[in-house]
Amino acid sequence: MSIYGAINAATTGLDAQSKALENISGNVANSSTTGYKRLDTSFSDLVSSGGSRQSEQVSGTVMATSRATNYLSGDIASADSDTYMAINGPGYFLVTNRDGLGQQSPQNFYTRAGDFNLDIERNLVNSAGYFLQGYPINPATGAVSDRPEPIQVPDTPMPAKSTTEISYQANVPATPNTNNYEDGVPNSQYIDPSVFSNPHELSTDTFVDAGATALTSDSLLVASEQFHEDNTLTFKVGQHDAVVFDVDATTTVQDLLDELNGLHGVTARLDGAGKLVISSFQKMELDQTGTVPSGDPLLDMDFTPQALPSGAPYNPEVVTGDKAQDFIDSSIAGGQETIYDENGTAVTVEFRWALNAEDKWSLFYNTNNEATGDEVAWKKVSDMSFDSSGTLTSPASGFAEISDLEVNGVNMGDITFKFGQGNLTQYEEVVGGAKEVGFSQDGYASGAFQSISIDDGGNVVARYTNGKTQQLFKIPVATFSAEHELQRADGAAFLETSTSGGPDFRNGGSIRAKALESSNADIAKEFSKLIITQQAYSANSKVLTTANQMLDSVLNIVR
């Protein structure tokens, strides 16, 4: 290699180091630029001459090329803005420039700079002036479009939604601590049966012995012609389990009276004429089996609940206003929930639990808190039963339909009341009230637009004054097969090229909300490279100086 070859090599070295310096200076200048990807410099030698043997080969010139570091992420740090975001992993945000806002198919740019804010036109734009694109989400169905568009956040209010479903959970006690409950008083834990009906009273023929003398309460039952030692009496009252009473030689009339008076809502007495008089507020069946001397069972009787004094027909599904306090005194609170009609009118529904029999409950809701007389105050939601382990057994479906739910004159329409076996239990074997009561419902009032944010699922979420949120757009993340071949654009953005491949929106990284990705340019490393570049540049300058001195020496020989 000649002196002139050395001068040529040193000149390319100066040029290459100058390019390296240019990249370093750009990296240093953008060390605080959000999402900036530094440019490194690659050097490659150009062979000026060669031979078949190593001793005949000489060094050539050098060429410097820029090398992208798009694949290297910068540090991700938390940010205060609800609309800032970063990509954790590979990929780029899909953005466009201002010219693309009014176009059907805008030019696509790609960036890692997620410092987006709402502009005056309610577009999400970053500090470099690029507008974020996303997939619109249908607010009614939640379906995500497959065609991206520049994100423009509407400030329209959220319309009201009527409640169609109430979800409920609670744990009811084995024994409710009602106002009427008294420890040791039989049946005081159950709902007062007079809330729903008047008693039905029936009487038997006179209990007489073989001498036609009327029996007294102390008389033996078998002294009567109507009873025998092998008789069995079965009493079935309301939802209670059947009670079996066996007659033997020692059973007295008083024993029978005590058994009947121990039944819920039942009273029995022996009148002066020796007749057994029985009354019941609930449906009751009395059956007598076994040998009956007279051939006709005396206690085969059916009792039917009677209408209340107001004249309303018997209806165990409702509680009238004149019985409302009696109902409250013999039931426990079940919580309350605010629901909404189609206009967004808020209505508070109150619930109460009434125990009908062991492990058998009814849930009621208050339909009119000012009801009087025969006006309906409470309506039944459903009857519910539990097994011995406290698990709900009925209704097996885990839900009930409330038709035309109405509260204080406001009709809320049909409501599905959901509870399920796991949400409604009777675990605690103690006296008390309903615990762990919880509600949720799907209705809400209308609300004005309040703010937007980005969630960790990569959705643009609007928040409204009614406390509700709504997903508006899904933010795509694009990846490329050869991202180092992307073309750089101003503002830490990139353009697709023929060698980068097209965008793939399936395998990008996850979006981190309220975060920003820093530049991947490290000042300390750039300064180290700067020192090396400066020394290399000075060395190439020295080569030129030396070559020039050698040429001067040759010229001096001629002189």
Side-chain angles (χ1 to χ4, degrees):
M1 183 177 179
S2 66
I3 294 177
Y4 290 107
I7 292 174
N8 186 39
T11 301
T12 60
L14 290 174
D15 182 64
Q17 297 301 329
S18 297
K19 189 162 188 176
L21 180 63
E22 182 180 14
N23 287 339
I24 293 170
S25 64
N27 294 339
V28 172
N30 287 283
S31 60
S32 298
T33 299
T34 301
Y36 174 80
K37 300 303 176 187
R38 74 172 188 266
L39 275 177
D40 287 343
T41 306
S42 294
F43 298 91
S44 57
D45 65 321
L46 302 175
V47 179
S48 60
S49 63
S52 60
R53 293 181 300 174
Q54 177 65 38
S55 59
E56 296 175 349
Q57 297 174 357
V58 295
S59 298
T61 55
V62 66
M63 180 178 67
T65 55
S66 296
R67 177 166 54 86
T69 61
N70 300 0
Y71 58 91
L72 294 177
S73 300
D75 293 335
I76 295 178
S78 298
D80 294 330
S81 175
D82 289 334
T83 53
Y84 281 7
M85 55 187 144
I87 299 174
N88 186 19
Y92 301 83
F93 298 114
L94 177 62
V95 295
T96 188
N97 55 16
R98 180 166 289 278
D99 292 339
L101 292 180
Q103 297 175 353
Q104 187 71 19
S105 298
Q107 183 180 15
N108 291 332
F109 293 81
Y110 305 90
T111 184
R112 299 273 295 190
D115 51 343
F116 293 98
N117 281 302
L118 279 181
D119 67 3
I120 193 171
E121 296 171 339
R122 309 191 65 75
N123 299 301
L124 277 173
V125 57
N126 68 9
S127 58
Y130 288 102
F131 296 86
L132 184 63
Q133 296 189 71
Y135 299 118
I137 299 176
N138 188 313
T141 64
V144 181
S145 170
D146 58 357
R147 183 182 178 87
E149 63 181 52
I151 294 177
Q152 187 174 43
V153 179
D155 60 353
T156 54
M158 174 184 281
K161 181 182 182 299
S162 60
T163 299
T164 61
E165 182 178 290
I166 300 174
S167 295
Y168 181 75
Q169 70 172 36
N171 181 65
V172 293
T175 302
N177 187 21
T178 67
N179 293 339
N180 288 349
Y181 175 73
E182 294 183 40
D183 188 19
V185 177
N187 302 320
S188 63
Q189 71 270 33
Y190 299 125
I191 183 71
D192 183 352
S194 68
V195 167
F196 304 107
S197 68
N198 278 320
H200 184 196
E201 186 172 278
L202 295 174
S203 61
T204 66
D205 292 337
T206 303
F207 284 7
V208 294
D209 59 18
T213 303
L215 301 184
T216 66
S217 60
D218 294 329
S219 302
L220 296 174
L221 272 180
V222 294
S224 168
E225 295 181 350
Q226 294 95 345
F227 293 97
H228 193 269
E229 291 182 12
D230 66 356
N231 283 178
T232 296
L233 305 180
T234 303
F235 312 134
K236 179 70 173 69
V237 181
Q239 297 185 41
H240 294 273
D241 294 335
V243 175
V244 176
F245 181 79
D246 293 321
V247 178
D248 60 29
T250 62
T251 304
T252 65
V253 174
Q254 187 62 49
D255 291 335
L256 176 59
L257 291 174
D258 291 342
E259 189 71 31
L260 286 168
N261 283 313
L263 301 176
H264 182 213
V266 178
T267 58
R269 60 186 174 84
L270 193 68
D271 68 7
K275 294 181 178 181
L276 180 63
V277 181
I278 308 172
S279 68
S280 177
F281 284 93
Q282 304 181 77
K283 179 181 179 181
M284 183 171 71
E285 299 174 357
L286 272 66
D287 294 312
Q288 181 180 356
T289 58
T291 303
V292 181
S294 66
D296 185 17
L298 181 66
L299 287 184
D300 275 3
M301 308 170 69
D302 292 335
F303 293 78
T304 304
Q306 302 297 294
L308 294 172
S310 62
Y314 166 69
N315 187 357
E317 305 290 315
V318 300
V319 178
T320 56
D322 55 353
K323 294 291 185 177
Q325 189 58 50
D326 294 336
F327 170 76
I328 291 172
D329 288 341
S330 58
S331 60
I332 57 174
Q336 59 184 29
E337 174 71 342
T338 300
I339 62 176
Y340 300 86
D341 67 7
E342 59 185 6
N343 296 319
T345 302
V347 172
T348 299
V349 188
E350 182 183 358
F351 296 88
R352 291 192 75 85
W353 287 98
L355 184 64
N356 303 304
E358 186 176 0
D359 301 329
K360 297 176 181 179
W361 295 80
S362 291
L363 182 64
F364 289 78
Y365 77 91
N366 184 222
T367 186
N368 183 358
N369 57 18
E370 296 181 356
T372 59
D374 59 358
E375 295 176 341
V376 177
W378 295 83
K379 289 185 178 181
K380 184 187 290 185
V381 174
S382 178
D383 289 324
M384 302 178 190
S385 301
F386 301 86
D387 61 19
S388 58
S389 66
T391 301
L392 182 72
T393 58
S394 177
S397 63
F399 67 87
E401 298 292 341
I402 307 176
S403 300
D404 292 324
L405 187 148
E406 183 176 327
V407 179
N408 296 329
V410 180
N411 193 304
M412 310 301 292
D414 297 340
I415 303 291
T416 299
F417 194 86
K418 297 182 64 176
F419 34 91
Q421 293 184 348
N423 293 327
L424 196 55
T425 56
Q426 183 189 269
Y427 286 151
E428 298 182 24
E429 295 293 333
V430 295
V431 177
K435 294 183 179 180
E436 301 171 12
V437 176
F439 288 91
S440 65
Q441 55 86 39
D442 59 353
Y444 46 80
S446 61
F449 176 85
Q450 191 173 44
S451 63
I452 66 163
S453 61
I454 310 297
D455 65 18
D456 285 329
N459 301 299
V460 178
V461 180
R463 184 175 298 278
Y464 299 86
T465 53
N466 59 3
K468 297 297 179 180
T469 60
Q470 183 172 288
Q471 294 180 351
L472 304 178
F473 291 89
K474 178 72 174 179
I475 301 170
V477 176
T479 59
F480 295 86
S481 299
E483 60 182 317
H484 60 280
E485 293 292 343
L486 290 170
Q487 178 185 337
R488 284 178 173 258
D490 292 339
F494 300 89
L495 286 165
E496 173 188 346
T497 66
S498 59
T499 55
S500 68
D504 183 349
F505 295 101
R506 298 171 300 173
N507 302 310
S510 60
I511 290 179
R512 276 190 55 184
K514 297 186 71 172
L516 284 179
E517 181 184 353
S518 303
S519 166
N520 68 354
D522 187 316
I523 288 290
K525 292 182 179 178
E526 296 302 318
F527 278 1
S528 298
K529 290 190 290 185
L530 182 61
I531 294 171
I532 294 171
T533 300
Q534 182 181 15
Q535 293 297 326
Y537 191 90
S538 297
N540 279 283
S541 299
K542 187 64 175 177
V543 170
L544 284 177
T545 301
T546 302
N548 183 53
Q549 291 175 350
M550 292 174 68
L551 284 175
D552 285 343
S553 297
V554 173
L555 291 175
N556 287 333
I557 293 173
V558 175
R559 295 190 188 100

